[in-house]
Structures are given as structure tokens and as C-alpha cells.
Amino acid sequence: MKQKISIVWFKRDLRVSDHAPLFYAKKRGLPVLALFVFEPSLERNYDWDLRHWRFIYESLLDLKKKIPVFWNYAEVIDTLSALQDFFEIDSIFCHEESGTQLTFQRDKIIRKWAKRNGIKLEEYQNGGVIRGLRDRSHWQRLWVSYMRRNPFIIDLGKLDFIKKLEMPLNPPPSGITLSLPSFQQGGESEGLKILQDFLELRQFDYMKNISSPSLGRYSCSRLSPYLSWGNVSLRTVYLSASKCLNGVSDKKNLLQFISRLQWHCHFIQKFETEVELEFRNMNRGFDHLRTSTDKEKLRAWKEGRTGFPLIDACMRCVRETGYLNLRM
């Protein structure tokens, strides 16, 4: 007889704190399989690069120090179908993802598969982006309401995790285990450390240095990749920054930072309600501006050798460190 389990499917939420799927999987009361899937279809998509996989891999290594998480290099549908040979899957818990058409179609396929197999699929809001919102007239109020709620508290010691899998797992793409010291390292532990460092030390020159190519590297939060991959929840950042406000006399830096957290969600929400922006210009006047591409000039831009010093410095910075500040 197969063991009945719940699956927590990790996507852009590589953490254990303030994690709704983990919280509700515990309430379900079944053994939990923590799963991440490296998807070949994403690897081939236009918006992906090896450095994304590296950051994810580092995040998973950090996650594995806290819970027994398994990862597989295959499509999600194939991974779940294979798991059915070993377990009776009762439920799947995951966060919603505001991604590309590819990830949206994948999620719809998984939803249909779960329904067909009698599996309960529960998806939860991740950050301040609201799925299915028809207009944004009341979005700001909803965003603030979500951010001010208490984060999910999970007692990991009371979760019955699956610790061993009989199913063979495919290793992830080659090259992702190579650590690059000039890049920010992935993981919840690192993300929380960066957040604390910003709030305690670096936020005091935030507005002064936000536009500086060099000083912005220190005074900006540096939280972008940790928010993108969910190493730290946006609510954790919001609540931590709001709490820090009480202890500083000059509040303008933190207030501006908090407003940018809202910007972060505002533009994703705009994309959520206008998904066609993935394939067309927001300003239709640009539709026929360029009809051909000079491949050599494009390569020169990518490699930072256009001859325009500031542009080349920016591109070389991105290539070597993965980071570029707001104004650049």
C-alpha cells in the first residue's frame, strides 16, 4: 500500500519563513515531500540563463540545511507522474507565480492533471501581487493590508517530512555548482543577513547614493535576487523596515525604500493584468521602430565594447557581478 502524502512544490519561494504552503501542508496532517524541479523547458526559454540556476542551486543547498528538500531535472508534470508510482499524492501546496506565458501554461497543465487524478491543489498569494484582479483601482489598499498581516509561523520540528526517496532523481544542469565570489550568493540565510545589514548600517545613505554607479552598490538594499527567488518574503522585508522606522530620527531613507517595495509589486501587478506586454510594446509607437538587428553591434553591446564608456562599464559590471544599480 502506497504512503499518502502532501507535496510542497517550491518555485520562486525558496525559504521556510512566512511560507503559506508549508503552513497549510502542516495543517493537512500528512507526511510532506518538499520538492523543487529544474525544468528543461525553462532552461531553453528566452529569459533564462545559467546564473539563474546557480542562484537557485545555492538557495536549495541553504534550504536543505533546514528541511529535507529534493530536486529533479525534468518537467514538473513528468516528476509528479513518476512520484505517483511511489506515493499516493493527496495534495499539492504551492505559491502562485507571476511568470511568463510558459510558466502560466505549465501551472494550468498541473492544475488539470491534479483535478484529473483527484489531487487537491492549493495555491497561495506570494507577496503583494493579486491573481485575477480585474483593475488596480483598490490595489494599493489591498497591498498594504496584505503586508501588515502577521507572517506565517511554521514549527518545522512538527512537520513530518519525507526523508528518503526510492525514485531516481536526475541531476540539475552542469555548471550550476560553480560558485562565483563576485556574484551574490543565494539562500534564505544570506538574504536575511543582507536585509539586516541594510537596515542596521547601509540604509542611512540610501537616497543620497541611490543614483551613484559605485556608491549605490553599497547603499542600495541588494535584496533584488532574494525577493525574485523568494529567499525572503516581501512581507518580511516590509515589516522589518517598518519596525526599524521607530528607531531612526531621519525616516526619509526607509520611507523611500518601503515605497519602492510597493513599486516592485505594482509593476508585476500591471503585468499580471496585462499579460500581452510579454509580447508587445507598452508604447505601440515603438512597434515598427526597428525592423532588423545588427548582430555584431548587439554582441558588442552585450560584451561592453560599444565605445561608449558608461554603457560599456555597466555591461561589464553586469557580466562580472550580476548586479547593476537602479539608475544604471
Side-chain angles (χ1 to χ4, degrees):
M1 186 175 178
K2 296 177 186 176
Q3 183 181 18
K4 183 182 285 191
I5 65 167
S6 294
I7 293 176
V8 171
W9 172 23
F10 285 89
K11 294 189 275 186
R12 286 179 173 262
D13 52 352
L14 302 176
R15 62 180 185 274
V16 295
S17 60
D18 194 21
H19 198 281
L22 279 174
F23 180 84
Y24 287 106
K26 177 182 176 296
K27 290 177 75 71
R28 188 70 172 166
L30 294 171
V32 173
L33 173 63
L35 177 70
F36 180 86
V37 184
F38 290 94
E39 300 163 76
S41 55
L42 291 188
E43 187 182 17
R44 296 188 295 268
N45 207 33
Y46 68 88
D47 64 329
W48 278 77
D49 187 80
L50 183 63
R51 58 182 66 184
H52 294 131
W53 291 129
R54 284 178 182 152
F55 192 88
I56 291 168
Y57 181 71
E58 291 166 351
S59 301
L60 289 170
L61 290 180
D62 183 64
L63 191 61
K64 200 170 181 67
K65 295 175 183 177
K66 301 163 186 174
I67 62 173
V69 58
F70 298 92
W71 52 82
N72 191 34
Y73 180 60
E75 297 304 328
V76 179
I77 189 74
D78 297 330
T79 302
L80 293 174
S81 297
L83 282 168
Q84 281 190 306
D85 293 336
F86 299 87
F87 299 101
E88 179 186 344
I89 303 173
D90 171 84
S91 43
I92 300 171
F93 297 89
C94 61
H95 274 118
E96 295 169 344
E97 179 179 356
S98 294
T100 60
Q101 185 184 61
L102 179 63
T103 59
F104 184 56
Q105 292 301 323
R106 172 208 62 198
D107 288 350
K108 290 202 294 186
I109 289 170
I110 298 303
R111 198 175 298 117
K112 289 179 181 178
W113 176 87
K115 184 176 182 179
R116 190 167 61 247
N117 286 274
I119 296 170
K120 184 179 181 182
L121 177 64
E122 295 286 352
E123 297 177 280
Y124 302 95
Q125 183 176 331
N126 191 19
V129 179
I130 302 169
R131 176 65 49 84
L133 197 66
R134 294 191 178 277
D135 66 74
R136 298 189 296 275
S137 56
H138 301 291
W139 174 80
Q140 184 173 347
R141 177 178 55 79
L142 295 171
W143 186 89
V144 172
S145 174
Y146 179 87
M147 291 302 155
R148 288 179 177 174
R149 291 179 209 159
N150 291 329
F152 291 101
I153 305 298
I154 303 110
D155 186 346
L156 296 175
K158 292 185 177 179
L159 265 163
D160 180 17
F161 284 105
I162 300 294
K163 297 181 176 64
K164 186 178 179 181
L165 268 186
E166 300 298 332
M167 186 182 95
L169 298 172
N170 302 315
S174 61
I176 72 168
T177 59
L178 177 64
S179 180
L180 300 175
S182 60
F183 282 67
Q184 290 183 258
Q185 304 300 297
E188 180 177 22
S189 300
E190 189 67 19
L192 291 172
K193 188 164 67 177
I194 294 287
L195 172 61
Q196 183 179 11
D197 181 64
F198 173 69
L199 293 178
E200 292 182 358
L201 300 173
R202 296 183 288 111
Q203 56 103 346
F204 298 102
D205 290 319
Y206 178 69
M207 289 308 298
K208 177 183 175 184
N209 295 334
I210 195 171
S211 298
S212 170
S214 55
L215 297 178
R217 297 181 65 81
Y218 175 80
S219 298
C220 289
S221 76
R222 302 300 298 263
L223 286 169
S224 297
Y226 304 103
L227 291 173
S228 291
W229 295 105
N231 292 155
V232 183
S233 77
L234 199 81
R235 177 160 49 201
T236 294
V237 178
Y238 174 86
L239 291 174
S240 298
S242 299
K243 183 178 180 181
C244 192
L245 269 173
N246 299 325
V248 296
S249 55
D250 186 354
K251 302 182 188 300
K252 70 175 184 297
N253 289 297
L254 280 180
L255 288 173
Q256 286 296 315
F257 171 70
I258 290 171
S259 75
R260 281 164 173 79
L261 293 179
Q262 194 171 98
W263 286 11
H264 168 96
C265 295
H266 165 80
F267 289 108
I268 300 175
Q269 186 70 54
K270 185 175 180 66
F271 179 64
E272 180 76 29
T273 52
E274 299 178 52
V275 294
E276 65 275 10
L277 292 178
E278 182 179 354
F279 303 106
R280 72 159 176 83
N281 292 308
M282 185 181 298
N283 184 337
R284 303 310 293 269
F286 289 106
D287 284 355
H288 306 292
L289 186 64
R290 182 183 289 116
T291 56
S292 63
T293 301
D294 186 319
K295 292 183 178 179
E296 176 50 39
K297 287 181 179 178
L298 184 61
R299 190 178 302 113
W301 172 71
K302 288 180 179 179
E303 296 173 359
R305 51 181 182 82
T306 66
F308 294 91
L310 185 59
I311 291 173
D312 290 346
C314 288
M315 296 306 291
R316 293 177 189 183
C317 179
V318 168
R319 288 171 63 88
E320 293 299 317
T321 72
Y323 177 79
L324 200 61
N325 90 311
L326 173 68
R327 302 303 180 199
M328 297 305 104

